[in-house]
Amino acid sequence: MTATRIDGKTFAAKVRGQVAEHVTRLKNDHAITPGLAVVLVGEDPASQVYVRSKGKMTVEVGMKSVEHKLDINTPEADLLALIDQLNTDPEIHGILVQLPLPKHLDEDLVINAIDPAKDVDGFHISNVGLLGTGQKSMVPCTPLGCLMMLRAHHGSISGMDAVVIGRSNIVGKPMAQLLLNDSATVTIAHSRTKDLADVVRRADIVIAAVGRPQMVPGDWIKPGATVIDVGINRLDAPEKGEGKTRLVGDVDFDSCAAVAGAITPVPGGVGPMTIACLLANTVTACCRANGLAEPVGLTA
Ligand code: NDP
């Protein structure tokens, strides 16, 4: 391996430390405790794990954590009524509705019912529009985490060629927008892109957000490029025991690390940054709601 390993775990711990310091200041100087409410509908095991870990880390940085666990058959009107109640609760500064929602619930309607100022996932249509026009917004957590790591590694990414593979609303598109706002030259690739290898080979920065295990091989990477692997894929790992699995990214780590200048591993890269950025967004939302200075370096 020749590439520098960008350690998301350590970076995320640093971000959580900065959040905790800011929370302490808010409590001591203003008697304000930032509060995050997480709403989970149903019992999807992966979502339950995420929600538990979000709650635990919220408390660890000194914030108030509220969890609402609703039955899988909860009517849409009940969920909207809960969101309405959280929107007007002065002790709640961030609201996150865990996705995906059960099929009978309209995801767009639910997300757009959240007060945009409390939309710490950054998925509300107002925040999408604000980000798209370069205005102050709540920024989706995973792309924000990627941007923080890129800024820390490169200083400035202005003028660099960046390729984002994937165009989802939660990762690919906001990622491309953030890179553009930082003056990178951005290409967005997707399943219809012709000659993806050729497109990726031109990039100084490659962001892979596809959901296909180890899809990007080392011979697609420009020597010295920075590779950010967003993908989380579970593969069978019989070598670890029967029924065991292991996590891999969208990038073939070994072959890419032999060519790249820097690379994030999976696990331990982008993943830990996502929750850290959720906490950062909550403290930012709290400061904005109270007309106070935002923490430096924790927003886009
Ligand atoms: P989506 O399934 O919503 O989007 C995947 C994108 O990849 C689509 O735009 C699709 O193109 C594109 N794509 C699919 N196949 C190919 C291909 N062969 N070549 C080029 N592009 C392709 O996924 P998400 O954006 O939600 O997530 C992407 C990955 O990131 C997943 O592994 C997910 O688990 C992970 N993730 C990780 C997070 C973290 O915290 N680290 C957070 C969120 C997601 P098209 O639009 O044409 O179909």
Side-chain angles (χ1 to χ4, degrees):
M1 171 167 167
T2 57
T4 302
R5 189 186 176 97
I6 301 178
D7 182 352
K9 222 169 151 182
T10 304
F11 203 105
K14 194 170 141 216
V15 171
R16 290 199 305 275
Q18 286 172 272
V19 170
E21 274 174 29
H22 215 83
V23 170
T24 303
R25 272 201 293 279
L26 284 170
K27 284 178 171 171
N28 291 348
D29 299 350
H30 304 281
I32 297 169
T33 302
L36 172 65
V38 176
V39 181
L40 173 65
V41 187
E43 292 179 355
D44 175 60
S47 295
Q48 283 179 327
V49 172
Y50 288 137
V51 168
R52 244 197 322 275
S53 125
K54 282 168 187 167
K56 185 168 161 270
M57 291 195 184
T58 304
V59 172
E60 274 172 12
V61 296
M63 301 201 287
K64 174 177 164 165
S65 166
V66 178
E67 284 175 26
H68 290 273
K69 292 183 178 160
L70 307 184
D71 185 86
I72 191 162
N73 296 314
T74 300
E76 196 164 80
D78 291 9
L79 177 57
L80 293 174
L82 172 62
I83 291 173
D84 206 33
Q85 181 201 315
L86 295 170
N87 281 343
T88 53
D89 185 338
E91 293 192 357
I92 295 299
H93 305 94
I95 303 170
L96 180 149
V97 177
Q98 184 66 44
L99 301 179
L101 287 171
K103 294 239 172 329
H104 69 285
L105 299 170
D106 179 341
E107 227 160 71
D108 288 339
L109 184 77
V110 170
I111 295 305
N112 290 326
I114 299 172
D115 177 349
K118 296 189 178 187
D119 168 39
V120 281
D121 249 345
F123 297 158
H124 189 290
I125 194 66
S126 297
N127 283 316
V128 175
L130 289 167
L131 180 64
T133 49
Q135 300 180 69
K136 192 185 269 193
S137 65
M138 296 309 302
V139 178
C141 304
T142 300
L144 178 58
C146 296
L147 182 74
M148 281 185 189
M149 291 193 287
L150 284 170
R151 282 178 176 168
H153 185 75
H154 286 285
S156 166
I157 59 168
S158 175
M160 294 178 83
D161 281 317
V163 167
V164 182
I165 317 174
R167 55 174 166 178
S168 73
N169 289 337
I170 64 168
V171 188
K173 282 183 199 151
M175 185 72 245
Q177 196 62 60
L178 285 172
L179 293 165
L180 190 59
N181 290 355
D182 264 25
S183 299
T185 302
V186 184
T187 303
I188 307 175
H190 45 77
S191 66
R192 308 291 171 89
T193 298
K194 285 182 190 149
D195 202 349
L196 182 59
D198 187 53
V199 171
V200 174
R201 270 188 206 114
R202 283 184 253 136
D204 305 309
I205 295 170
V206 179
I207 314 267
V210 182
R212 287 176 172 254
Q214 299 166 321
M215 187 190 95
V216 178
D219 67 359
W220 289 13
I221 302 298
K222 176 173 163 178
T226 298
V227 179
I228 306 286
D229 192 352
V230 181
I232 301 177
N233 309 286
R234 212 166 266 286
L235 294 184
D236 289 338
E239 73 280 4
K240 291 167 83 182
E242 204 188 311
K244 296 283 183 196
T245 57
R246 67 188 171 101
L247 289 184
V248 297
D250 290 341
V251 156
D252 179 45
F253 185 84
D254 290 342
S255 64
C256 288
V259 188
I263 187 166
T264 60
V266 176
V270 175
M273 284 298 287
T274 297
I275 296 187
C277 287
L278 172 68
L279 304 176
N281 277 350
T282 306
V283 87
T284 297
C286 177
C287 292
R288 287 180 187 169
N290 288 285
L292 299 168
E294 294 172 20
V296 177
L298 295 183
T299 49

